[in-house]
Amino acid sequence: MSNTLRGRNLLSMSDLTGAEILAILDQGAELKANRAKAQAAAPLAGKTLGMIFQKPSLRTRVSFEAGMTRLGGHAIYLSPVDFQLGKRESVEDVAIVLSRYVDVIMARVFGHDIVADLAKYATCPVINGLSDFEHPCQILADFLTIRERKGTLKGLNAVYVGDGNNVAHSLMYGAARVGMHMTIAAPAGFDPHAKVLSEAQQMGRETGATIRVSHDPAEAAKNADVLYTDVWASMGQEAEAEARRAKFQGFQLNTKLMGYAKQDVVLLHCLPAHYGEEIEYTASRTPNSAIFDQAENRMHAQNGLLVLIAGE
Ligand code: CP
Ligand code: NVA
């Protein structure tokens, strides 16, 4: 298949076709399996990634930076205080100036419009490293992890228990694209965005994926191949954390919920985790849990993406 990703942005999982998602996973898996070969080939030699952060990060920052090193390139971390995106300097000017120096921009932002504006004004590809609306790089790593454990994505029953947030949105789009069934089990009032649900359902009709919302975690978890959760209060929602804690009771990924799923269910959490809230520590340490493979795979999946969008 010819590479349709060169020079492209990745703002949303819906930007990618199912074939493109699989191509990224294949490329990432190959780089993971052949580290020495990948480093010798240095597919991003001389290339620089500019990484803009408005929010904290462990995985996103380190996986992109270490990933660029493995690929023979370089990454520059730009912290929230470095140039105060939109305050010290407009998003438009930052995008134009950074594009004169770097080959790819990755940005972790509050409003999704900020990463969309960076992409509008930048003359190099822009990757969404998490916005309030989506987290596509996470889902590429999740899919690589699921595929490692299950051998496939198409036709699996994936269930996400918790907040209908950025991670849930990207999962819904991604699942729809690759033909994986996806149920979001959220407390009433915390459903994913209605537009994401209707668009993902529409995309799912083309691939055979059923995308739905439930308010009953036990019902949703029945026969699940994958059980996924994320924090109840995302970055930027710290003031709501206590009120949310009360409303999310019963929406925990734990050994009881695992009992409704298939024996070999894969447990996922994008991390950071709040043990005792959205995930039980004991469940996170069972052999079913792939949370640390998932964290590692951030780097491999993103390396696949970087090579396809910025390689020669
Ligand atoms: N999963 C994830 O994006 O982790 P960080 O917030 O540490 O980057
Ligand atoms: N939904 C979480 C994901 C963290 C990786 C957040 O936005 O904070």
Side-chain angles (χ1 to χ4, degrees):
M1 192 186 88
S2 67
N3 178 13
T4 52
L5 289 158
R6 184 151 300 134
R8 289 255 301 275
N9 300 316
L10 175 59
L11 304 185
S12 164
M13 275 310 274
S14 63
D15 294 344
L16 300 172
T17 64
E20 286 168 346
I21 293 171
L22 297 180
I24 293 167
L25 302 188
D26 289 346
Q27 180 72 69
E30 193 183 316
L31 293 165
K32 180 177 181 177
N34 300 298
R35 176 177 180 170
K37 192 173 149 209
Q39 284 191 213
L44 295 186
K47 306 261 169 145
T48 301
L49 172 72
M51 309 192 295
I52 301 173
F53 283 89
Q54 288 191 317
K55 296 174 175 174
S57 170
L58 171 64
R59 279 146 291 272
T60 304
R61 180 196 171 168
V62 181
S63 60
F64 267 109
E65 193 163 335
M68 283 300 288
T69 302
R70 280 201 190 195
L71 300 172
H74 179 69
I76 303 175
Y77 171 66
L78 298 156
S79 83
V81 290
D82 276 328
F83 57 83
Q84 300 159 42
L85 189 62
K87 290 194 189 89
R88 181 171 181 267
E89 198 157 2
S90 70
V91 172
E92 178 177 350
D93 283 12
V94 167
I96 295 169
V97 173
L98 267 183
S99 302
R100 302 278 178 113
Y101 303 131
V102 306
D103 302 283
V104 183
I105 295 170
M106 186 277 292
R108 164 164 288 195
V109 297
F110 284 98
H112 191 76
D113 55 317
I114 299 173
V115 72
D117 277 349
L118 283 169
K120 181 173 164 194
Y121 296 111
T123 53
C124 66
V126 172
I127 298 172
N128 178 2
L130 181 148
S131 71
D132 285 355
F133 204 67
E134 279 208 54
H135 196 2
C137 295
Q138 180 65 54
I139 275 53
L140 293 173
D142 303 342
F143 284 4
L144 184 57
T145 310
I146 296 168
R147 209 177 61 164
E148 284 173 352
R149 295 244 175 168
K150 297 281 185 186
T152 185
L153 298 170
K154 198 171 170 59
L156 294 180
N157 289 319
V159 178
Y160 170 99
V161 179
D163 188 23
N165 60 14
N166 44 8
V167 169
H169 290 163
S170 293
L171 275 172
M172 292 162 77
Y173 283 135
R177 288 298 200 208
V178 299
M180 187 167 78
H181 307 301
M182 185 84 233
T183 303
I184 306 293
F190 296 92
D191 287 355
H193 201 290
K195 174 178 141 280
V196 177
L197 180 61
S198 64
E199 287 178 356
Q201 285 174 333
Q202 181 61 39
M203 292 170 194
R205 279 191 266 280
E206 289 162 26
T207 59
T210 304
I211 312 294
R212 69 183 186 107
V213 171
S214 161
H215 297 118
D216 179 351
E219 172 275 322
K222 263 184 208 127
N223 290 319
D225 295 294
V226 176
L227 280 178
Y228 196 128
T229 194
D230 182 18
V231 291
W232 291 339
S234 285
M235 290 180 276
Q237 297 175 329
E238 288 80 6
E240 296 172 36
E242 203 175 317
R244 282 172 168 258
R245 214 169 283 135
K247 291 177 178 154
F248 280 79
Q249 291 307 313
F251 287 78
Q252 186 188 65
L253 206 178
N254 52 31
T255 43
K256 184 168 175 226
L257 197 69
M258 286 169 71
Y260 297 102
K262 289 189 184 152
Q263 197 90 40
D264 61 349
V265 63
V266 179
L267 303 192
L268 298 179
H269 189 313
C270 56
L271 303 178
H274 293 131
Y275 295 110
E277 293 191 10
E278 78 279 356
I279 189 162
E280 181 189 55
Y281 181 82
T282 313
S284 79
R285 264 57 181 175
T286 59
N288 297 71
S289 173
I291 63 174
F292 297 116
D293 293 340
Q294 190 185 356
E296 179 186 336
N297 281 336
R298 286 294 304 274
M299 180 172 69
H300 304 301
Q302 287 158 195
N303 282 358
L305 173 71
L306 287 166
V307 165
L308 289 173
I309 68 173
E312 295 307 324

